[in-house]
Amino acid sequence: MLRLLDRLEEVMIGTLIAGATLLIFVSVVHRYSLGIIVDMYSYARAHDIAWAAPALRSTFMSVKSINLVWAQELCIYMFVWMAKFGAAYGVRTGIHVGIDVLINRLPPERRKIMILFGLACGAFFTGVIAVLGANFVHHMYYASSISPDLEIQMWIVYLAVPTGSALMCFRFLQVAFAFARTGELPHHDHGHVDGIEDDADIEAVEAAPVTPDDTGIATGSDRLPKDR
Amino acid sequence: MDALLIFVGLIALMLTGMPISIALGLTVLTFLFTMTQVPIDTVALKLFTGIEKFEIMAIPFFILAGNFLTHGGVARRMINFATAMVGHWHGGLGLGGVIACALFAAVSGSSPATVVAIGSVILPAMVKQGFPKQFGAGVITTSGALGILIPPSIVMVMYAVATSGMQAVGPDGQPVSSASVGELFMAGVVPGLMLAGFLAFTTWNRARRFGYPRLPKASLRERWEAFRKAAWGLILIVIVIGGIYTGIFTPTEAAAMSAVYAFVIAVFVYKDMKLRDVPRVLLSSASMSAMLLYIITNAVLFSFLMTHENIPQALGNWMVETGLPWWGFLIVVNILLLAAGNFMEPSSIVLIMAPILFPVAVRLGIDPVHFGIMIVVNMEVGMCHPPVGLNLYVASGITKMGITELTVAVWPWLLTMLVFLVLVTYVPWISLALPHALGM
């Protein structure tokens, strides 16, 4: 069951980022293809290429009939959903950065307490936001406002806040329990670079497969809590 | 009084080691609950509207593009091209590394990504050629910092987002508009090239003094060959910078285009990456973006609280009353940012500090674009020194050197960067010449 949730989370955020990228790409191409077809059309007219003009004209009409003004709005909504669920995934993999210089110098017992305090604060904050968000969505549901371009119900869009925060809260609790039991913390090592061995030479590096767990800024590996 | 309370609360929470985003959010929540009558529902709304801007979406796109470029073989071909051009001079591969970092920085928006992309290929090669490990690590750690100065740059997007829509007035009482992403990108070009030149000079000079190995001079044919292979990556520079400048794309669209383009060359042209690796890259880019977006959301909440309590305005009035000249203010800002660089990573610093400092800077007559570039250079320095310099950690991951050893190795270049920082701070012309010449 938990496995399924983990998997769903990963597939969802991966799909959302890919989808949003493609969406913006298509809308930009679409915007400029109109101009290019017009140029070709006027060229054909000017040079009396009789056969090309009607064909270009109909292409222009069909391209024009595709309306993509909603692309930008949809892209934003996709990223909002990605951000909320990705943040929950980030708790599980320990990617959220904090200032750990100070607490790492504490004796282990005190350090453990501080870390648990931090995780509890995380759970508390996300929990509060989930409740506030749910309340807000509830109001939106009755206000029945719709988005400007897509014309979908806004409460569906805002649903990302309570659901994402609730999931995040759950993840914080999950990590906190795992840490209390095993003392292991998911830690995203921003400095770790995969494929580099002690005796690395250039061929080995070049042949290295795509580093699997790398994340945005750097490559790194995630140690997950053991009780997944 | 309230301001003091907010900051003490924030710093106390941050020092417990909890995620910065949570510390920000919790501070705001506590303050709003206990001290004000702001309807708490607005918090939920702010959490959504905080990232509901199309400009912010450039960040995930640039991260995605950077990941495809790093693993798609673009970096390796850029290195070959750079070493073919300058490898026969003093410094050889090291000098090539600086140039390669500058080239890669022009397609990537993050510095640690630049260190990974260039460093993981060139550092082992340098050691093999007989360079001391320290030399290579020093060159790449600092040159990688060019990633956020040469456009595109994630930190610049953060600055634009953090200051956009702020009510700032100039010394003459006229409202001043904040810097756009496009302006900042153009403004970063000249300082970026200059810093690359500075770092290359330091590298060249040290290599000459210590007699490090040089490469045989590449023939014209070899150079052409290296250029031809790297061209796919180099075209991307033209697409991003040219596209934004001519107005063909907005910065966000340019970022999306470069992500798609990078995917195509990594998988279909260079074939350094298999299609089945793509989901992993997507997932890791998504989670890194989500982390940054989550900080942005909470930082927006925090700056909402700041504005609500009129803190930036009060600070601005106070600064003007004390009669602090603009250059004095810039010294204070530099020290503040360098100090903050000891504890936090750039995105958080920019998101927290920029909204507070920006109105004051504008009030003292400092150009928003110049101020942005200065902050970015400050952030670069912060990435290259301990305890939280991300570039250092990445370089230590590649070279297996300890952080202390690396810190010593980095200092000649770090010193160069500090000199450059002073230059950028007090010569606004360096940042403003290009955007002004372009009529921005």
Side-chain angles (χ1 to χ4, degrees), chain A residues 2 9-10 14 16 29 44 52 54 56 59 62 65 89 91 116 122 124 126 140 158 170 196 207 209 213 218:
Chain A
L2 266 181
E9 205 176 57
E10 287 164 15
L16 283 174
V29 169
L56 284 169
T59 325
S62 54
S65 67
Y89 172 79
V91 174
L116 280 176
F124 172 71
T126 47
M140 288 303 280
Y158 286 133
F170 171 67
I196 305 290
D213 307 318

Side-chain angles (χ1 to χ4, degrees), chain B residues 142-153:
Chain B
T142 44
S143 304
L146 287 170
I148 57 170
L149 185 56
I150 298 181
S153 156

